Amino acid sequence: MAKNYLPFEDENWNEIVEDAFAPDAEVHVFSEHYQKRKMRLMNKNTQKKPILRRKSFIAAAAAVAAVVVIPTTAFAGSRIYTAFMEQPAQYQRDITIELGESAETSQTDDGAAVVDSGTYKMSVGYVPEDLKLEATAENEDGYVNSFKYGTYDTEDWRSALFDFFVIDNESRTFNETLKHVVAESNYETEDRIVFISRLDNDRSEIWVAFKDTKYVAKILALQEFTDDELKMMAEGLVLEESDVEVASSYTTYTEYQEQLRAELENADASEPEFYKEHMGEMNLISVGETFSDFDVDVTLDSITFQDTFDGLTTDSIGRDYDYSKYMDTDGTLADNIRTWYTKGDGVNTIDEVDYTETMSARIMVVNLTYENKGTEEIEYCICPGIRPIDENGDWLIENKYFDDRYAEDSLSALGYDDGFFSFSTDHANSKNNLAAFKPGEKAQVQLAFIVYDEPAADYYLCLDTYQDVFVDISSLNE
């Protein structure tokens, strides 16, 4: 149950990666709301608040159209390899790579170097110690050309995505525009040119041009990375000779980006305050009652409310966690501070704080008993959630992402998508699953949720999405 923002700025990257690369992955049908939100989050210009933290980086200057990297060339004349960055606006940077002439077409006899037309693959030589390889992706021919590294935390998920591209022989050019750039470090080594840009959203985007070749790499780094970490990741990339083309087509990549931008521009600009998904007929149960989920009986033992983290020591997948950062000085749960930002265009303006809201909240603790009534050992997912449901039976999904503004919550890590922030059990578990759940066994499970004192609608606890098993908790939260 991943939290916060992830590569391609999608909020459920952990789950998406696991689902996408699982051998038995199912085909999911997502709601219209999900599709719209995903498109917006994938738009690299729709981002979070300005962050200017790295003093050792060159601060973004106000000068326009300044060349900030000296071009490198293979040799003088018309067949040069050139790579450079320009600054057409305060927060925009344009990277250009011109391959020049290939070895096959060069007619020179002076022994001058020309662009290497050989075929290469890329390996990742360095990542910070806390990042682990979580997934690889393949190009359209089935060759691995993308590497995803990450580390999980309840409120922050550091990650780095490495992509490998080939500049096509037809165009022999690379043009990439970066927006929301607030700091940068660009330099040249013997075999590569490195463009490191820090954006106004806890994200860094690195492009590495491998000199005198047709290859370029992209590193997307999310959350906090030091200057040295970014530099070492860029310099740790290694090209190795290959019998097949592994890199993805840069032309195909840019065509996809253009398609995505067009979809965003054509999306409905009048977004509602809430999205609605009809729940249908709910099967309501009360504390003390049991329902059956196929071969598993589920009993709702208790629901209680508290304003402290007493008794809660685990995160959403059962690992030890310290919640002191979410406490007031008296040890109680701090209020949620919702900050609204006005979006900048990323060219001449960046996102700025508009106003804040204070929202008081409490912690809901739910205790359940699960019993395997079947004849086989299973792994069973524990995945209840809370739903604000109005008088028409519509689940109200609050919208915090608009065309001109967006909001961030200080307690977002404790209430993402109305899920639980704490999971614990007396049974063996794999994340929030009961592992090796044998016939006849019982497991005690405790979950904790954030509930706001002024909800958008009545709260219901959803215990089973397939059978629409709900608990009306609004009357209890008084």
Side-chain angles (χ1 to χ4, degrees):
M1 299 179 62
K3 312 295 183 186
N4 217 326
Y5 298 88
L6 289 213
F8 301 135
E9 296 74 63
D10 207 341
E11 298 159 310
N12 279 83
W13 180 256
N14 227 3
E15 284 186 88
I16 289 172
V17 167
E18 290 179 4
D19 288 347
F21 289 91
D24 57 347
E26 298 179 358
V27 177
H28 296 281
V29 178
F30 296 103
S31 66
E32 181 181 357
H33 159 61
Y34 176 91
Q35 300 286 8
K36 287 184 177 180
R37 184 178 66 173
K38 179 180 178 182
M39 279 201 301
R40 292 187 182 283
L41 291 171
M42 288 180 68
N43 180 4
K44 65 182 180 182
N45 298 331
T46 304
Q47 300 299 338
K48 295 162 49 179
K49 59 182 178 293
I51 295 179
L52 295 163
R53 294 179 178 168
R54 305 302 182 190
K55 293 183 180 179
S56 62
F57 271 64
I58 303 171
V64 176
V67 177
V68 297
V69 171
I70 299 175
T72 182
T73 60
F75 60 94
S78 61
R79 295 176 296 277
I80 60 174
Y81 175 101
T82 305
F84 60 93
M85 175 184 278
E86 294 178 305
Q87 182 181 343
Q90 185 170 1
Y91 301 108
Q92 178 179 329
R93 302 294 184 273
D94 292 340
I95 302 174
T96 299
I97 300 174
E98 296 284 352
L99 293 188
E101 193 167 347
S102 67
E104 287 84 353
T105 60
S106 175
Q107 301 299 316
T108 62
D109 54 5
D110 57 5
V114 293
V115 173
D116 183 353
S117 58
T119 303
Y120 294 90
K121 60 184 177 180
M122 184 185 76
S123 62
V124 177
Y126 168 83
V127 292
E129 290 184 357
D130 64 309
L131 301 184
K132 306 301 179 185
L133 180 63
E134 300 208 344
T136 58
E138 300 174 347
N139 66 8
E140 58 187 11
D141 295 321
Y143 298 108
V144 173
N145 68 334
S146 181
F147 307 86
K148 176 69 177 64
Y149 292 82
T151 182
Y152 177 88
D153 195 299
T154 295
E155 70 283 346
D156 290 319
W157 197 61
R158 269 203 344 153
S159 58
L161 179 66
F162 296 77
D163 284 309
F164 185 46
F165 299 102
V166 59
I167 302 173
D168 304 276
N169 284 327
E170 289 78 10
S171 65
R172 304 190 65 77
T173 59
F174 168 103
N175 298 105
E176 190 72 15
T177 294
L178 306 183
K179 297 181 180 180
H180 295 265
V181 178
V182 295
E184 62 198 37
S185 176
N186 308 307
Y187 61 94
E188 181 178 346
T189 69
E190 182 178 351
D191 65 346
R192 68 198 61 195
I193 305 168
V194 179
F195 305 96
I196 303 177
S197 298
R198 288 193 181 272
L199 312 187
D200 67 350
N201 52 21
D202 265 350
R203 187 183 75 167
S204 296
E205 189 166 323
I206 305 171
W207 286 94
V208 178
F210 296 100
K211 289 163 57 174
D212 302 331
T213 78
K214 56 187 177 181
Y215 293 99
V216 61
K218 176 184 178 182
I219 306 174
L220 181 63
L222 299 179
Q223 304 300 338
E224 288 290 331
F225 283 81
T226 66
D227 298 350
D228 287 341
E229 287 175 332
L230 296 177
K231 183 176 180 181
M232 291 171 68
M233 285 193 295
E235 295 181 4
L237 300 178
V238 178
L239 290 189
E240 303 170 353
E241 290 187 0
S242 175
D243 295 332
V244 296
E245 185 59 82
V246 171
S248 286
S249 162
Y250 177 71
T251 299
T252 301
Y253 167 79
T254 54
E255 288 174 351
Y256 171 75
Q257 295 296 320
E258 288 297 326
Q259 177 185 347
L260 179 61
R261 279 190 285 269
E263 290 175 353
L264 288 165
E265 291 174 358
N266 294 329
D268 185 6
S270 58
E271 300 288 0
E273 295 293 331
F274 293 93
Y275 292 97
K276 296 184 178 182
E277 292 188 9
H278 193 65
M279 302 307 300
E281 184 176 353
M282 293 187 292
N283 299 311
L284 295 177
I285 70 168
S286 301
V287 173
E289 293 185 344
T290 300
F291 73 94
S292 294
D293 179 18
F294 296 99
D295 290 332
V296 176
D297 279 1
V298 184
T299 301
L300 176 61
D301 297 320
S302 66
I303 296 178
T304 58
F305 298 88
Q306 58 191 57
D307 59 2
T308 70
F309 290 93
D310 292 349
L312 305 177
T313 60
T314 55
D315 66 9
S316 60
I317 57 174
R319 302 184 308 177
D320 291 340
Y321 194 79
D322 179 9
Y323 289 103
S324 58
K325 67 182 71 177
Y326 300 109
M327 298 179 186
D328 278 334
T329 55
D330 62 359
T332 60
L333 173 67
D335 289 337
N336 179 59
I337 306 301
R338 175 168 294 179
T339 304
W340 284 93
Y341 296 88
T342 300
K343 294 179 184 177
D345 60 13
V347 176
N348 298 302
T349 60
I350 54 177
D351 303 355
E352 296 181 350
V353 174
D354 189 3
Y355 64 95
T356 61
E357 301 175 81
T358 300
M359 305 164 63
S360 58
R362 283 188 289 173
I363 296 170
M364 182 179 75
V365 179
V366 179
N367 288 287
L368 303 123
T369 299
Y370 293 82
E371 182 178 3
N372 186 351
K373 305 286 284 189
T375 59
E376 297 180 358
E377 178 181 302
I378 60 174
E379 182 164 319
Y380 186 82
C381 178
I382 308 300
C383 47
I386 53 175
R387 306 284 188 265
I389 300 176
D390 65 14
E391 65 277 5
N392 298 318
D394 290 327
W395 172 19
L396 300 185
I397 306 168
E398 190 168 14
N399 181 28
K400 293 184 289 186
Y401 301 93
F402 298 85
D403 285 342
D404 58 348
R405 67 192 189 283
Y406 62 93
E408 292 182 343
D409 290 338
S410 60
L411 297 182
S412 62
L414 303 184
Y416 176 71
D417 270 2
D418 300 325
F420 48 85
F421 68 84
S422 179
F423 164 87
S424 62
T425 179
D426 60 355
H427 195 277
N429 68 293
S430 172
K431 295 187 178 179
N432 57 306
N433 295 332
L434 298 178
F437 196 24
K438 297 179 175 58
E441 282 190 332
K442 290 186 177 181
Q444 307 297 319
V445 173
Q446 183 183 79
L447 307 175
F449 301 82
I450 289 291
V451 290
Y452 291 103
D453 291 341
E454 296 183 7
D458 290 339
Y459 276 130
Y460 287 80
L461 174 65
C462 179
L463 295 175
D464 189 322
T465 57
Y466 296 102
Q467 302 181 79
D468 294 326
V469 178
F470 287 83
V471 182
D472 183 358
I473 61 176
S474 296
S475 60
L476 302 175
N477 188 20
E478 295 177 350

